[in-house]
Amino acid sequence: MSIEFVKYQGLGNDFILVDNRASSELIVSPEQAIQLCDRHFGIGADGVIFALPGLEGTDYTMRIINSDGSEPEMCGNGIRCLAGFIADLEGNNSKNVQYHIHTLAGVISPQILADGQVKVDMGLPKLLAKEIPTTLSSPEQKVINEPLEVAGKTWLVTCVSMGNPHCITFVEDVAAIDLAVIGTQFEHHPAFPQKTNTEFIQVVGRDRLKMRVWERGAGITLACGTGACAALVAGVLTGKCDRKATVELPGGDLLIEWSEPDQRLYMTGAQERVFAGIIS
């Protein structure tokens, strides 16, 4: 069976987008997704994203298979790319269009702005240890500046769930972190029963953070939207940054705001169509 796809990227976090609206079942298997994401023998991507029929009154459903075949609850950069993909599928060239998308992390609402960037209501952060989940604190407690032993070093970590688990640690220089070596040790640490994404954050100023990320199921990526949101929350909880800040990632910048009135997180960033093709 031939399957049409479109390649998108959001700050270098790249995805294969598939129109799956005709079925509630994925038309690409996890095994096939691994092959498609291979950067030497496939298309190359951090994951495959599917646009499925909406559930529970939403416009669409988002599913994503990571490059290792696992399925995360949500992806912040990916949902911005999905918004652009959906607009293309609908032939919608207007701006300020908003979609309500069902994900495994809940309903997420991206809005395509007049300048082509996408602002996403990422919802409420979850802060209790049982919600992450992690064993670094008692289930009903927050995990803020808790010690964690990784690679022979004690790291102070703060944990946040954006529908998927994040472990954030603040460092003097993100460039000095040997991410390829220690990233997987954080991801598979026994303190995280569902594994974890890990963000290493350097505070540039109250309104600017520099971030490198190891994504659960994908490894080193150029950007992570949910991770940027989690990083800002961790910065606020530890008194290191304001509630609105630019998060500087290797692939570009994201503007993150933890709104005071409604406590919701809003992420604004770019998405770009790269090319289209057919999987035969």
Side-chain angles (χ1 to χ4, degrees):
M1 180 178 67
S2 294
I3 300 172
E4 295 183 354
F5 73 91
V6 182
K7 179 80 176 286
Y8 275 78
Q9 65 88 14
L11 305 189
N13 205 187
D14 58 342
F15 306 96
I16 299 163
L17 277 293
V18 175
D19 182 359
N20 209 127
R21 293 175 296 171
S23 173
S24 59
E25 300 296 326
L26 300 186
I27 58 177
V28 173
S29 70
E31 294 74 23
Q32 290 171 317
I34 293 172
Q35 295 175 343
L36 294 174
C37 290
D38 190 292
R39 297 190 183 278
H40 298 287
F41 298 100
I43 298 166
D46 292 321
V48 181
I49 295 176
F50 304 84
L52 293 95
L55 295 172
E56 300 172 5
T58 57
D59 300 311
Y60 295 92
T61 294
M62 172 186 181
R63 298 273 300 278
I64 177 170
I65 302 297
N66 282 328
S67 57
D68 72 347
S70 62
E71 182 172 6
E73 296 85 352
M74 220 284 285
C75 174
N77 288 320
I79 203 163
R80 293 200 319 277
C81 292
L82 179 61
F85 179 59
I86 289 170
D88 282 348
L89 289 177
E90 293 181 345
N92 190 341
N93 295 318
S94 64
K95 305 301 182 184
N96 295 315
V97 60
Q98 186 173 47
Y99 301 104
H100 302 288
I101 298 176
H102 186 279
T103 78
L104 296 179
V107 177
I108 307 294
S109 301
Q111 179 183 10
I112 302 177
L113 304 177
D115 62 0
Q117 295 218 354
V118 180
K119 182 177 182 178
V120 185
D121 178 352
M122 298 288 285
L124 301 170
K126 297 177 181 178
L127 303 176
L128 301 183
K130 67 179 183 181
E131 297 173 320
I132 307 300
T134 179
T135 60
L136 287 174
S137 185
S138 59
E140 299 293 337
Q141 298 296 314
K142 297 176 182 177
V143 181
I144 302 174
N145 276 341
E146 290 292 334
L148 178 67
E149 294 290 328
V150 177
K153 176 180 175 180
T154 300
W155 307 76
L156 293 179
V157 302
T158 298
C159 296
V160 178
S161 173
M162 292 302 304
N164 55 355
H166 293 272
C167 174
I168 302 98
T169 185
F170 290 88
V171 299
E172 289 296 320
D173 181 10
V174 291
I177 300 297
D178 193 348
L179 199 53
V181 171
I182 66 173
T184 187
Q185 296 183 52
F186 272 90
E187 177 183 359
H188 296 277
H189 195 285
F192 302 101
Q194 295 180 16
K195 304 181 186 178
T196 188
N197 300 279
T198 308
E199 287 78 32
F200 299 87
I201 309 298
Q202 176 182 336
V203 178
V204 180
R206 297 288 306 178
D207 62 350
R208 178 168 284 268
L209 305 174
K210 183 180 287 188
M211 169 176 142
R212 291 180 67 202
V213 59
W214 178 275
E215 287 200 58
R216 179 186 60 164
I220 298 173
T221 60
L222 296 178
C224 177
T226 55
C229 291
L232 180 90
V233 171
V236 172
L237 292 176
T238 56
K240 290 178 168 58
C241 72
D242 297 332
R243 297 181 72 96
K244 184 175 183 179
T246 297
V247 180
E248 178 185 332
L249 303 117
D253 293 348
L254 288 172
L255 179 63
I256 309 296
E257 180 179 5
W258 191 8
S259 176
E260 191 85 69
D262 59 12
Q263 298 299 308
R264 302 178 75 84
L265 279 148
Y266 296 90
M267 170 190 67
T268 303
Q271 53 82 27
E272 181 184 27
R273 178 186 172 112
V274 181
F275 64 85
I278 298 176
I279 304 164
S280 59

